Amino acid sequence: MSSPNSKAFLAVLLLETITGLSSSIFIIICLYDPATKCQRFSTLNRILMALSASNMSFLFTMSTHFLLLAVWPKFYNMLYVFYPICYLTLYSITSTCWLTSALSIFYFLKIIPSQSGILTKLKNMLDTMTGGLLLVPEVVSFSGSFLSLLISNPNSFQTNATKTETEDLMVRKVSFNGIVMALNFLPFIIAIVTTVISASLLKHYDGQMKKKIGHLNAKVKDYRTAVHTMSALLMFYTSMFLILIFFLLKATDTTTWGYWICVMLLFSHPTVQSAILIHGNPNLKEELRKLFTIITQ
């Protein structure tokens, strides 16, 4: 792709980065109440704030990753630059995926009926499990990212005399995206399972409410909103994995339109995810409405 087009796409990526950061900051500010800073936040608010912070980290690392790749490819190709950037990028992607699965688990535990069993015990312990729902994703992201890059054999990334610089860089990118998919396969499966079960339970609740009172009560409506949010997040991450598969098929030539379009889609994910989270949270929607009212006055 010619230089002018590359610059245009980089400008679009910058706009997407600003939009993603703004939407994530908006969520954090709306959920953070200074009056309760010495008190415990709700479990949901903590997860949403952590997820928004993770989205911000994703944008910072991805911006650095692709800026160096597009503007200073020779510098990016150096191992002491390539590996720290790859680690931070892998960590941010993994953290976002695992925190999203934690959000799916939270909604799932809220929806399941209160009956005897291990799931009900976990449901009753949900407020005390907040630390675990946030700590486990970060530990997995931190350690898993490091071990994955270590196991991937650094020597395989060293430039071979028989390879061109472009071929060597392609091998690195394909290997990196393979690691991303392997490390985030489990949270993706967790999101699928919890969403499917939650949707089945919601259908059951709908039938019960219509038989008993002829309409849905507020709790079932909240469950429906939660399931819709989970479903949207699931489709959201499915699209991310499809883009990574595109890269795995070695369609990673930076001179093609397809490459840059996929990069643009990746950069749009924090904004899209923030939109999904805001749409699924009445408080955030109300704050956004107030903000638009102030802007348009």
Side-chain angles (χ1 to χ4, degrees), residues 233-270:
L233 288 173
L234 184 58
M235 290 187 289
F236 163 79
Y237 278 98
T238 300
S239 66
M240 175 179 281
F241 277 106
L242 288 176
I243 293 172
L244 291 176
I245 289 173
F246 180 83
F247 280 104
L248 281 174
L249 294 176
K250 298 187 178 181
T252 55
D253 187 355
T254 59
T255 63
T256 64
W257 283 81
Y259 171 84
W260 284 99
I261 290 174
C262 282
V263 172
M264 289 168 58
L265 291 174
L266 284 175
F267 270 75
S268 70
H269 277 196

Side-chain angles (χ1 to χ4, degrees), residues 152-218:
S152 66
N153 186 8
N155 292 328
S156 65
F157 292 123
Q158 292 180 355
T159 303
N160 191 304
T162 63
K163 290 182 178 180
T164 66
E165 189 173 290
T166 301
E167 290 173 337
D168 181 64
L169 185 59
M170 182 174 290
V171 170
R172 294 187 189 185
K173 288 186 288 186
V174 170
S175 178
F176 172 75
N177 287 309
I179 292 171
V180 171
M181 293 192 67
L183 194 57
N184 294 290
F185 181 74
L186 180 57
F188 186 64
I189 295 300
I190 291 174
I192 293 176
V193 173
T194 53
T195 300
V196 170
I197 296 177
S198 298
S200 300
L201 290 172
L202 178 62
K203 185 177 181 180
H204 175 68
Y205 289 148
D206 283 347
Q208 284 187 329
M209 290 298 104
K210 289 178 181 179
K211 288 181 180 180
K212 289 181 179 179
I213 58 178
H215 60 85
L216 302 180
N217 59 21

